[in-house]
Amino acid sequence: MSRDEADRGWAWVIVAAVTIINLAVLPIQQCYGLIFSERFLSLGISATQTSFILHLNGTIACSLGLISGPMMKRFTFRKVAFLGGLTVAVGICMTAFAVAVPSIIVTYCIIVGTGHGITFLAINLALNTYFRKKRNVAMGFSVTLTGLGPILMPFLIAKLLESYSTTGTLLILAGIAMHSLIGASLLRPFKEKEIAERNSVDVKNDFNSRLLNEDVARETTNNEQTSSNSANVGNKKGEKRKFLLKISEHLDLDLFRDTRYVAVILGMGVSLVAETNFNAMIPFVLAELSGLERTSIATVMSIQAASDIFGRLCVPLLAQKAEWTSKNLYVVSLIGSTIGRTILTTWGSSYVTVVCVALIIGIAKGTKAVFQTLIISDYVPLKKLPAAFGMQMACSGILSIAIGPIIGLVHDSMNSYVAALHFTSILSLSCIFMWYVSGFLRYNKDTGKSSEKKETTETREDTVDSNA
């Protein structure tokens, strides 16, 4: 497949495949609070422990980002997605019989989290590889179709819990997760052969290898003029340099030299921790602040999912016409979620208010779902995208386990979700603050360099005139 065939043809089959995979493996995350609320209550699990289990799952999923670059260079989308989907199904099946915190950590956090992490690596890279110009539209369609799941799943899970309890419900969800293998089979590898790019990479690698060989040879020639001990030291030094350079190139560690990229992944990591925790804990929040029962909670979650669909479908189309960047729309989604949580903490006792908040948060969630995976691809070239995604996931995972449980700890210490929701909003807004501060500093730095360059040019011109 050539570059000209991107954005069309099999690319749209990839959108369908990604949708199938997401609909199959995501229900256990999307309805986390609804599925485990009764089991956690019977086991006496506190809000801090509940939050810890949630974020440990996310941390393990994200930590696989460290190996995403090497994994996606060695294996195809299809193979990785097959492995991830099968791991999720097995993990959910084992979680059905987990009746203690340690066993829940092993099955849900470790096994299911590993499966989710592997799966997300494959589908994110597949979409960003097959689409170039129509990436926003493709991502919008994918997350919109995926958003159909949260509309129906709360009602289905509520009925399943009534009939089969938590164990039976999880076994059925494991069967649903097996359908991800159908989507994985549609992820055909993207075969793009760019002779110029390949030659450029080969020339660069040959140049680096030649420099390394020359350095090693030079050191060895000198290692010859001295004693044999110094020769051994020189050889070890050359091998160490070569080894470190290979690791750096393999993992694309030079991305950390870009301060904008570092600010982006840190801000996204903090905001994802906050938003993921809130979306998963909605059933607990509504039960405590609004006194809603399971059926009413499922209704509110479905309303939120419907507005989520609206945000996923309409916002990307409007953004494409208005030419808004993914980063700015992500910021708008964080502000919308913060407004919704603030209203909920103030007037959460009214059912009408809860429905209005569900609409606001749903639109914000849909907008965030579309553009959060596009921000990284706007900053880095395609060949570095697997490593960039991996570093972003690893950063999110570290922040998740470091910050996430604090939200539950705030609830337990204050004995209310009001303070926990405010703390969540502070975390989301800190992402906006971090991004715009880094942008301001970058602007000043670039302006200073531009001014210095202009002054240098003018000085040189004056010198030439004086000499003339």
Side-chain angles (χ1 to χ4, degrees), residues 254-332:
D254 58 322
L255 287 169
F256 285 111
R257 297 179 181 177
D258 188 351
T259 56
R260 292 184 304 170
Y261 172 75
V262 174
V264 165
I265 63 174
L266 288 177
M268 286 187 66
V270 173
S271 62
L272 284 175
V273 171
E275 299 298 323
T276 301
N277 188 90
F278 172 69
N279 291 325
M281 304 295 285
I282 281 178
F284 299 98
V285 174
L286 295 180
E288 180 180 300
L289 296 183
S290 306
L292 300 183
E293 298 179 352
R294 180 191 295 163
T295 304
S296 299
I297 292 173
T299 302
V300 172
M301 292 178 67
S302 296
I303 293 173
Q304 176 180 313
S307 62
D308 185 344
I309 290 288
F310 176 81
R312 297 176 188 224
L313 184 62
C314 297
V315 174
L317 298 177
L318 295 175
Q320 189 172 14
K321 291 185 177 296
E323 297 183 351
W324 277 37
T325 64
S326 301
K327 187 175 179 180
N328 288 336
L329 286 165
Y330 188 85
V331 168
V332 170

Side-chain angles (χ1 to χ4, degrees), residues 25 32 34 50 56 58-59 97 121 128-129 155 160 165 186 234 266 312 326 353 364 385 393 396 412 414 452 454:
V25 302
Y32 169 82
L34 196 61
T50 302
L56 182 59
T59 297
F97 303 99
L121 294 176
N128 282 281
T129 301
F155 291 110
L160 291 175
S165 71
L186 298 176
L266 288 177
R312 297 176 188 224
S326 301
T353 302
L385 203 54
M393 289 178 62
S396 298
D412 290 342
M414 303 297 293
E452 182 179 354
K454 183 178 179 181

Side-chain angles (χ1 to χ4, degrees), residues 53-68:
I53 292 172
L54 170 67
H55 289 286
L56 182 59
N57 171 273
T59 297
I60 293 174
C62 293
S63 64
L64 294 176
L66 294 173
I67 62 172
S68 64

Side-chain angles (χ1 to χ4, degrees), residues 75-93:
F75 302 104
T76 61
F77 311 138
R78 182 180 294 164
K79 292 180 180 179
V80 176
F82 260 111
L83 177 61
L86 187 61
T87 304
V88 170
V90 172
I92 296 175
C93 187

Side-chain angles (χ1 to χ4, degrees), residues 15 127 134-146 309 311-314 316-317 369-371 374:
V15 174
L127 273 178
K134 299 180 180 179
R135 189 174 289 165
N136 286 2
V137 177
M139 189 64 69
F141 277 122
S142 176
V143 297
T144 298
L145 295 174
T146 301
I309 290 288
R312 297 176 188 224
L313 184 62
C314 297
L317 298 177
V370 174
F371 295 100
L374 299 177

Side-chain angles (χ1 to χ4, degrees), residues 182-246:
I182 299 174
S185 64
L186 298 176
L187 294 180
R188 189 173 70 184
F190 185 85
K191 297 180 180 179
E192 181 183 39
K193 300 297 182 181
E194 292 280 342
I195 298 178
E197 292 181 3
R198 182 181 61 193
N199 290 339
S200 176
V201 173
D202 291 340
V203 169
K204 180 181 179 181
N205 291 336
D206 291 339
F207 178 74
N208 291 334
S209 299
R210 187 165 64 252
L211 289 179
L212 284 172
N213 291 334
E214 289 176 356
D215 290 340
V216 174
R218 189 180 299 110
E219 292 172 358
T220 304
T221 301
N222 294 329
N223 298 337
E224 291 176 354
Q225 294 176 352
T226 57
S227 63
S228 59
N229 291 333
S230 61
N232 293 332
V233 172
N235 288 332
K236 291 180 179 180
K237 182 179 179 181
E239 292 177 358
K240 183 178 180 181
R241 288 179 57 190
K242 190 173 182 179
F243 177 72
L244 293 176
L245 183 59
K246 284 184 178 180

